């Protein structure tokens, strides 16, 4: 599990503690490594789109880098 740090890009994108990231960069997140690789690729592109599950709700969040 990764935490959402106060003031981070993830928090600014609307993520909260307990959110489950289902997809990152149109790839299913099956492990922490997959997520971290997607974040690294997103940093190079300047953005990363996440599909997030929060309880019964599923939504997309855009994380902007730079």
């Amino acid at each position: 599990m990764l935490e959402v740090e106060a003031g981070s890009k993830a928090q600014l994108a609307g993520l909260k503690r307990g959110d489950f990231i289902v997809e990152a960069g149109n790839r299913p997140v099956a492990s922490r490594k997959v997520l971290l690789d997607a974040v690294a690729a997103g940093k190079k592109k300047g953005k990363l789109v996440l599909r997030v599950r929060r309880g019964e709700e599923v939504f997309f969040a855009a994380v902007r880098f730079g």
Side-chain angles (χ1 to χ4, degrees), residues 11-13 15 18 21-22 25 29 31-33 36 38-39 44 46 48 50 53 55 58 65-66:
Q11 184 186 41
L12 295 173
L15 297 180
I21 299 173
V22 180
V29 175
S31 69
R32 178 182 175 134
K33 182 181 180 337
L36 294 177
V39 170
K44 290 179 183 175
L48 177 63
L50 304 172
R53 184 175 66 214
V58 177
F65 300 98

Side-chain angles (χ1 to χ4, degrees), residues 4-66:
V4 179
E5 294 181 22
S8 68
K9 302 288 185 184
Q11 184 186 41
L12 295 173
L15 297 180
K16 297 180 180 180
R17 185 172 197 236
D19 286 349
F20 182 77
I21 299 173
V22 180
E23 291 180 3
N26 293 320
R27 291 182 50 202
V29 175
S31 69
R32 178 182 175 134
K33 182 181 180 337
V34 171
L35 176 59
L36 294 177
D37 288 348
V39 170
K43 285 181 178 179
K44 290 179 183 175
K45 292 180 183 178
K47 65 181 178 178
L48 177 63
V49 176
L50 304 172
R51 186 171 168 220
V52 182
R53 184 175 66 214
R54 181 181 294 156
E56 298 294 320
E57 180 182 0
V58 177
F59 61 94
F60 288 93
V63 179
R64 300 205 182 274
F65 300 98

